[in-house]
Structures are given as C-alpha cells and as structure tokens.
Amino acid sequence: MSAARPRLAGLDIFRGLAVAGMILVNTPGSWSHLWWPLDHAEWHGWTPTDLVFPAFLFAVGVALALSFPRKVDGGTWRKIARRTLLLIAIGWGLQLIARPELASFRFPGVLQRIALCYALAASFAILTASTLGDGRRSLRPAPILAMTVVALLLYWALLAFVPVPGYGAGQLSPEGNLTGFIDRAVFTTAHIWRGGTDAAGNIVYDPEGLLSTMSALANVLFGMLAAIVWQRDPSRATLRIALAGVLLIAIGLLLHPVLPINKKLWTSSFAIFTSGSSALLLALCMAATRSGVPRLLAPLHMLGMNAILGYVLSVLIGIAGFRLFIGDASVQDWGFARLSSLIPDPHAASFAYALIALALVLAALVPFHRRGIHLRL
C-alpha cells in the first residue's frame, strides 16, 4: 500500500473561498442592485469579483500538481478524458436546465473552461515529466514555467498583431478583439454569452471563449508551480509563494497601461495579476491553517473539499430562483422584496440574498461532509 499523500494546509480553505465567491457573485437578489465588489469591471480594470474564477483555476493547478509523483498508464489518460468530458457535460446540462432552447444554447462556460484548462495542463505535465526509478513520473518546473510564458506571450501576440476583419489588429474593444471574432465565427452569436454585448447591444464576445483559454491556462500552470514550491520545501513555501504572488501582482500592474487588465478578454496581464493575487491568498490560507483548520474557517474548508458539488448546487439554486414562482413573483424577486422590506439599502438586500444562497449550499453539503462523501470527477 502506498503512503497517503500529504495535504497542503490551506488548499481546501483557498478553494472554498473561491467557490464561496462564485456563489455570492452568481446569486444576487437583484441583478440591478449589485454591490460593486460583487460586480465585474465593465471592461478594462478589475474588481474583487474578477479575482474569483482565476483563483479557482489556480486551485485546480495546485491540486493537479499535488497528485505527482504518479505512475502514468492508459488508465491515467482515461481518467483525464473522463474528468474533462464530465465537467463539460455538467456545464452543458446546467445550461440546458437554465435555458432549454437549443437555438440559443451557449457552448462556452465556466465548467467548460475549467475542463479545457485541466485537460491541457494535465496532458502537458505528464508529457514533460521526468521518470523516476520506480517508474513514476515527477513534475519538472522548468517546462511548466516555459509553457506559462509561451502561452501568455502567444496570446498577447495574437491579440496585438492578428487583424480582425473590419477592425484591424490590436483592437481590444468588445466588438473588435480577436477572441470575440473567433467565438462569433466558431459558435455564432446565438451560442455565446448573451451579456457579451457592445455599445449598440449586439452580442459580440464570450468571457469564456476559445482563444482566451490559452491565457486562462497560465493560471492553472502558476498553481502547479506553487504546489511544486511547497512539495520541495514545505517549511519555506508560504513565504516564497507569498513573495511570488506580490511579484506577479506588480508585473500585472506594470503591464496594465500597455496591455490592460481585462477579465472578459482574459488578457495576459489579467492572468499574471490574478495568479499573483491567488498565490498571495493561498499563502495566507496556508499560514492561517498551519496549526489546523480554525473553527471559523470550517465552513470554507467543507466547501473546498466539495467544490464542484457546491458550485453545481449554487447554480441550481440560482436557476430555481428565477424559474420557480411564489404567486406572481419569481422566488428571487419575492425573496429580494422581503429582504428589501427589512434592509433599506437595495444593494445590501441583494447581498443578503446571496448570503442566504451560500448558507443553503453549505447546509446541503453538511450531510455529505459528515459521511465523507466528496465529489471527485
């Protein structure tokens, strides 16, 4: 029997924070009254909300690297394919539940992006890993770092130098950028995010589109590098990961005037900046759990151990909010109205609704957690 793999203290807390952020962002009481930290930047720039999804991708990379050293055989590749296809299937299934119309079915999405980034990162890690004496594979940080740099530079070069018909090269406007053009050409505007509009209201881009997956991959790869740092020297890893995070944040900010930080395009500067913020937050979680999981953070720890299930439950709660009715009002509108009668500020009332949704997800996870049931795709 092989020894149990050591767990990275703080990873589940970090992942739980990312999922909790997703839930708070995705289930407001009113989309017309979003508290500004829970709303995405309109275009260039960032808000705390823009850091949430990249943090989850970073956590995917950390968890992926922690599974090494490992033996690689046909079963390994089947597991990667199975996990990738299941994530895509769940994402598409949730989309069909939310909007059953096939004519406007959205192909890209959050779980689909996680699936593609995971598959690319896992495949690259295996193909570039070194072989140990017992036949197991061990990650090599140099190729992972090189691939990170290549992905970021290539994506920047494509955005900067490949012309878009009717707009030219280097356009980073909603309608003139290359990634939006590719998504319109591949999926058509009927099958991308309805909220990805230009000033005239035309659907022109998808924040989880095909080409920008290249830059999002860097968030996963940076997460893998953080895990390698911890595996090689756990006693000094917290400080080193924190310092690396500060450095990446600084690089992202320095690049911002030249290549704007933009979540909807997932620009290379955005990937660098958010990887830095993720590394810094991971280091803080590692420090906070050095002596065990504090009771105050136990709900986040539970959520992090069942992250995908928690996210799926939150999406289902969100769908139920606008698909089910109490009288003539949807559950979401009814709940927001009740909260607004108690909380005068509509933004605070909307946030309170999101907190209730988060509490419902946590409550639903308790019986699973107590029985040691954690969804592993």
Side-chain angles (χ1 to χ4, degrees), residues 305-360:
M305 294 185 72
N306 236 332
I308 294 296
L309 180 57
Y311 175 76
V312 169
L313 288 173
S314 73
V315 174
L316 292 175
I317 289 173
I319 293 172
F322 69 83
R323 292 286 294 274
L324 301 180
F325 285 78
I326 298 177
D328 295 331
S330 68
V331 169
Q332 183 180 23
D333 291 340
W334 181 89
F336 178 64
R338 301 287 80 74
L339 289 169
S340 295
S341 66
L342 301 172
I343 305 172
D345 183 352
H347 299 89
S350 181
F351 179 52
Y353 184 97
L355 287 174
I356 292 172
L358 175 58
L360 289 175

Side-chain angles (χ1 to χ4, degrees), residues 1-6 65-73 76 125-126 128-140 231:
M1 179 183 296
S2 59
R5 297 183 186 278
L66 292 180
S67 68
F68 284 82
R70 64 188 300 179
K71 290 188 176 181
V72 177
D73 53 23
T76 305
I126 290 173
T128 60
S130 58
T131 304
L132 304 177
D134 57 1
R136 295 184 301 165
R137 300 282 185 91
S138 178
L139 293 181
R140 296 169 57 209
Q231 287 177 319

Side-chain angles (χ1 to χ4, degrees), residues 231-242:
Q231 287 177 319
R232 294 194 169 186
D233 192 351
S235 63
R236 300 180 182 179
T238 301
L239 178 59
R240 290 177 176 176
I241 292 173

Side-chain angles (χ1 to χ4, degrees), residues 357-371:
L358 175 58
L360 289 175
V361 171
L362 291 172
L365 291 179
V366 168
F368 293 94
H369 187 68
R370 287 179 175 174
R371 291 171 174 79

Side-chain angles (χ1 to χ4, degrees), residues 242-252 272 276:
L243 291 175
V246 172
L247 177 61
L248 289 175
I249 290 173
I251 294 173
I272 294 170

Side-chain angles (χ1 to χ4, degrees), residues 57 113 117 152 211-221 266 271:
L57 289 176
R113 166 150 291 180
C117 289
L152 292 171
L211 187 63
S212 57
T213 301
M214 183 185 304
S215 183
L217 173 63
N219 291 82
V220 179
L221 297 175
W266 213 288

